[in-house]
Amino acid sequence: MPEGDTVWQTARRLHGALAGKVLTRSDFRVPKYATADLTGRTVLDVTPRGKHLLTRVEGGLTLHSHLKMDGSWRIFENGRRWSGGPAHQIRVILGNADRTAVGYRLPVLDLIRTTDEARAVGHLGPDLLGPDWNPELALANLLADPTRPLGEALLDQRNLAGIGNIYKSELCFLLGATPWLPVGALPADRAAKLPALAKKLLEANRERPVRSTTGRRGQDLFVYGRAPRPCLRCHTLVRVADQGDGSRERPTYWCPNCQAGPAPSPAPPRATQRRTTN
């Protein structure tokens, strides 16, 4: 599932295809907006906010969407056959004289007043790829509950916006701490580096078609998705276990040698290692 960097890429593609152009097609395929019609309105801009997308339209309206696990926006030249899933998975279509943007499997889709955007994204912490980025505030948010596991704190978009399950695992590896270490137990020097490191990773990948945290071609990630293969640094077998706050468990990867701190007991190997994220 897209994280902050790929949502940023999606926003850029949507902006390039739609911004400054009049909508000639508007088709909402969700009951709540079955009668909504944006045709004749100009798209003003498409802005990412963490893992949220804000498509602002003339007349003071904003289409708020979130991709969650499986959603996607696809852009097609007019006349080209659409691909991205079966027709029944389409939630919204926005088109102009040149291109058509099709939203597949969007679990969050709201048409709101632009002045009400804070109701949709106002709860988010500083955006790692946004103009509101504030590393001091992000760190203060993370440390506000020192007993909370580091991995859970990183995924909480109220602390800082843009980190998903992949970056959670990779950041913990680079910090040398397991995702179950209480965030307050992270050594002060490493905690101080955390916001800048997170921003560096997302900025480095927002222009890349394939996400990489290692800089090694063909070995793009240090631990995520690697269990039970060897750690790229020490060759200890990478482990995987579910981590969550009770609302959703997410597969979490770590190296028991390179990362210090508490961790679950080794679980039986999974039949299939899937790269999923929040």
Side-chain angles (χ1 to χ4, degrees), residues 175-258:
L175 291 168
T178 71
W180 292 269
L181 180 77
V183 67
L186 188 66
D189 60 331
R190 300 185 199 177
K193 297 176 182 178
L194 194 161
L197 179 59
K199 183 175 178 62
K200 179 180 179 180
L201 288 181
L202 266 72
E203 283 191 334
N205 283 289
R206 66 181 179 181
E207 303 281 356
R208 292 173 177 166
V210 178
R211 182 183 290 122
S212 175
T213 59
T214 66
R216 306 180 187 181
R217 182 174 297 180
Q219 296 178 326
D220 300 307
L221 302 174
F222 282 108
V223 290
Y224 189 86
R226 288 193 58 82
R229 289 177 288 167
C231 169
L232 293 179
R233 181 177 291 169
C234 74
H235 305 296
T236 300
L237 297 184
V238 173
R239 294 181 184 173
V240 59
D242 289 331
Q243 182 182 35
D245 57 7
S247 60
R248 175 185 289 174
E249 300 295 315
R250 295 173 171 86
T252 300
Y253 299 82
W254 80 102
C255 172
N257 182 58
C258 293

Side-chain angles (χ1 to χ4, degrees), residues 3-222:
E3 305 197 17
D5 51 352
T6 46
V7 171
W8 186 92
Q9 293 174 7
T10 299
R12 184 173 64 171
R13 290 194 296 269
L14 286 169
H15 185 88
L18 301 177
K21 299 179 181 180
V22 176
L23 292 174
T24 57
R25 182 172 184 179
S26 167
D27 184 0
F28 286 83
R29 299 186 180 182
V30 292
K32 185 177 181 180
Y33 300 113
T35 61
D37 186 4
L38 300 179
T39 56
R41 298 175 186 257
T42 300
V43 175
L44 303 178
D45 66 77
V46 182
T47 297
R49 181 71 174 87
K51 294 191 281 184
H52 299 248
L53 287 162
L54 302 172
T55 302
R56 300 183 179 115
V57 183
E58 184 182 27
L61 295 176
T62 295
L63 182 62
H64 166 233
S65 60
H66 193 299
L67 307 180
K68 294 286 185 180
M69 294 294 292
D70 300 313
S72 69
W73 278 97
R74 304 292 298 272
I75 300 168
F76 305 96
E77 298 287 340
N78 288 348
R80 178 185 167 191
R81 184 177 180 179
W82 299 350
S83 60
H88 73 265
Q89 293 182 347
I90 296 173
R91 300 293 176 261
V92 63
I93 302 167
L94 300 177
N96 54 44
D98 302 309
R99 297 179 183 177
T100 301
V102 184
Y104 289 89
R105 300 172 300 278
L106 298 175
V108 176
L109 189 67
D110 293 303
L111 188 61
I112 60 177
R113 303 296 304 182
T114 301
T115 53
D116 292 336
E117 286 181 359
R119 296 183 182 179
V121 297
H123 66 288
L124 298 175
D127 186 347
L128 282 155
L129 296 179
D132 70 317
W133 173 241
N134 184 326
E136 292 79 17
L137 177 58
L139 183 58
N141 290 344
L142 288 166
L143 296 176
D145 182 356
T147 64
R148 193 175 192 186
L150 175 60
E152 292 181 20
L154 287 172
L155 282 184
D156 191 335
Q157 303 300 294
R158 296 170 298 180
N159 291 333
L160 68 171
I163 292 178
N165 209 34
I166 296 175
Y167 281 121
K168 175 195 76 172
S169 293
E170 294 296 291
L171 276 167
C172 288
F173 176 82
L174 292 169
L175 291 168
T178 71
W180 292 269
L181 180 77
V183 67
L186 188 66
D189 60 331
R190 300 185 199 177
K193 297 176 182 178
L194 194 161
L197 179 59
K199 183 175 178 62
K200 179 180 179 180
L201 288 181
L202 266 72
E203 283 191 334
N205 283 289
R206 66 181 179 181
E207 303 281 356
R208 292 173 177 166
V210 178
R211 182 183 290 122
S212 175
T213 59
T214 66
R216 306 180 187 181
R217 182 174 297 180
Q219 296 178 326
D220 300 307
L221 302 174
F222 282 108

